[in-house]
Amino acid sequence: MFKDEHGKQQRAVLGKGREGEIIVSCGAIGSPQLLLLSGVGPAAELRKLNISVVVDNQFVGKGMSDNPLNTVFIPTNRPVEQSLIQTVGITKLGVYIEASSGFGQSQDSIRCNHGILSAEIGQLSTIPPKQRTPEAIQGYTKTKRELPHEAFMGGFILGKIATPLSTGELSLSDTNADDNPSVTFNYFTHPYDIRRCVAGIRMMEKLVSSKHFTNLTQFDKLAEDRLLNLSVRANVNLIPKHTNDTQSLEQFCKDTVITIWHYHGGCLVDKVVSSDFKVLGVDRLRVVDGSTFSESPGTNPQATLMMMGR
């Protein structure tokens, strides 16, 4: 049973031939949720929700991960071209250094609902599930309206951690397929991830102090704490900030982390699916999407996912 684009329930019947099979491609959040709702997952968790157990597999919904992203704001002394990511630099520790600029040329561009600035389509993942409330979104919207226009007149250097070692899990909130499951990614809980973030921030500071930047920025030499203070003010996640954000790069990383929606895990190979993506213990059922990835590419995973589908 499934709902079509008009919300009407439809029924699909699997053919009797050997070649007939079901392919689940609901993404890193939707696919493990669908397996759990269908009785494939940890038996104890399923029984709590009165779901009949088809396959007892403790790994469904486990190993959830997301590439954490942190940004440093770079104020400029003149308008800059509006630009998304064009060039990527990769450090030895696997930090992807990228940049975007020019999205504060008008008042409206700051406050409209778009992409990385929109809590409603992603930034709620940076706080625990119980804190993801309508009040949190309202507070976020209010904060967004109060962001200084000048905070977006320049650009941002982005540092993204490839292959994070911090992982979380996904579990069902209820048995309604239309309701979001409970998901945690546990950003920066592994010490190596926080170490790489700090190294990435230091690399950004080194870039900003170069002569190529000092000719463009608002200050001849940006003091480290001032630069980080500006970045904390311009940050758009829902995490409460701490007074030592600019004194501890570790705390800065934890408090300013945002998602860029590279979620993966939950149906990992050799734990939930086989090497050819067949669900373990179930005939004629595959999962083909990012939920099978133990790691996601440092840049956009779309091309990888399309090749996987082919």
Side-chain angles (χ1 to χ4, degrees):
M1 300 294 294
F2 68 96
K3 289 183 180 179
D4 62 21
E5 65 271 21
H6 304 295
K8 293 183 179 180
Q9 279 202 338
Q10 305 288 350
R11 183 180 181 88
V13 180
L14 191 62
K16 293 182 179 180
R18 282 188 172 185
E19 295 181 355
E21 63 180 11
I22 296 171
I23 297 177
V24 175
S25 295
C26 301
I29 293 177
S31 288
Q33 179 190 21
L34 186 57
L35 289 187
L36 291 169
L37 289 169
S38 303
V40 179
E45 294 181 21
L46 298 177
R47 290 192 180 107
K48 286 180 182 178
L49 294 171
N50 294 319
I51 297 174
S52 299
V53 178
V54 176
V55 175
D56 179 10
N57 187 329
Q58 61 178 319
F59 297 110
V60 177
K62 304 302 188 290
M64 297 295 298
S65 192
D66 184 27
N67 299 79
L69 178 72
N70 296 83
T71 63
V72 173
F73 168 60
I74 311 298
T76 58
N77 54 25
R78 65 187 78 111
V80 292
E81 178 185 357
Q82 190 174 90
S83 172
L84 283 174
I85 297 160
Q86 296 184 11
T87 305
V88 178
I90 308 172
T91 71
K92 293 180 179 179
L93 290 179
V95 181
Y96 282 58
I97 307 294
E98 306 167 345
S100 65
S101 62
F103 291 91
Q105 309 295 358
S106 70
Q107 296 278 356
D108 292 338
S109 70
I110 298 174
R111 295 171 176 83
C112 68
N113 187 335
H114 65 290
I116 203 167
L117 296 181
S118 192
E120 295 82 352
I121 60 171
Q123 296 309 326
L124 286 172
S125 69
T126 59
I127 58 177
K130 290 184 179 179
Q131 296 178 23
R132 299 169 192 167
T133 62
E135 291 77 18
I137 295 178
Q138 290 172 6
Y140 168 91
T141 304
K142 181 176 182 294
T143 301
K144 188 175 171 182
R145 284 198 301 264
E146 295 173 353
L147 285 172
H149 180 242
E150 295 77 13
F152 289 84
M153 284 300 294
F156 290 85
I157 300 181
L158 294 67
K160 181 173 54 179
I161 306 297
T163 62
L165 299 181
S166 304
T167 60
E169 63 180 350
L170 178 148
S171 60
L172 295 177
S173 302
D174 53 42
T175 58
N176 187 346
D178 292 329
D179 291 344
N180 292 328
S182 174
V183 189
T184 57
F185 297 105
N186 297 328
Y187 301 101
F188 295 129
T189 53
H190 195 287
Y192 186 55
D193 290 345
I194 200 75
R195 175 186 162 198
R196 286 188 286 176
C197 177
V198 169
I201 300 297
R202 287 178 175 152
M203 175 62 74
M204 295 180 203
E205 292 172 343
K206 185 176 180 180
L207 289 171
V208 174
S209 64
S210 69
K211 64 179 181 180
H212 301 288
F213 272 94
T214 53
N215 292 332
L216 184 64
T217 57
Q218 292 181 8
F219 310 102
D220 292 335
K221 187 177 176 72
L222 284 168
E224 177 182 324
D225 59 343
R226 189 172 187 183
L227 185 68
L228 296 182
N229 265 318
L230 287 168
S231 301
V232 170
R233 286 185 68 205
N235 191 267
V236 293
N237 68 21
L238 287 82
I239 300 173
K241 306 303 181 285
H242 293 77
T243 55
N244 66 337
D245 276 339
T246 59
Q247 299 170 14
S248 164
L249 289 183
E250 289 83 359
Q251 193 65 54
F252 177 87
C253 286
K254 292 177 181 179
D255 285 357
T256 62
V257 64
I258 56 178
T259 181
I260 199 165
W261 310 292
H262 292 178
Y263 309 140
H264 53 284
C267 297
L268 297 176
V269 172
D270 294 332
K271 292 186 176 180
V272 177
V273 298
S274 64
S275 59
D276 54 358
F277 309 112
K278 295 181 179 179
V279 176
L280 301 176
V282 183
D283 293 333
R284 301 162 72 184
L285 176 63
R286 297 181 199 250
V287 176
V288 183
D289 57 32
S291 69
T292 63
F293 292 175
S294 58
E295 58 186 61
S296 181
T299 52
N300 199 304
Q302 288 176 339
T304 305
L305 289 164
M306 286 190 285
M307 287 189 288
M308 179 185 184
R310 287 180 179 272

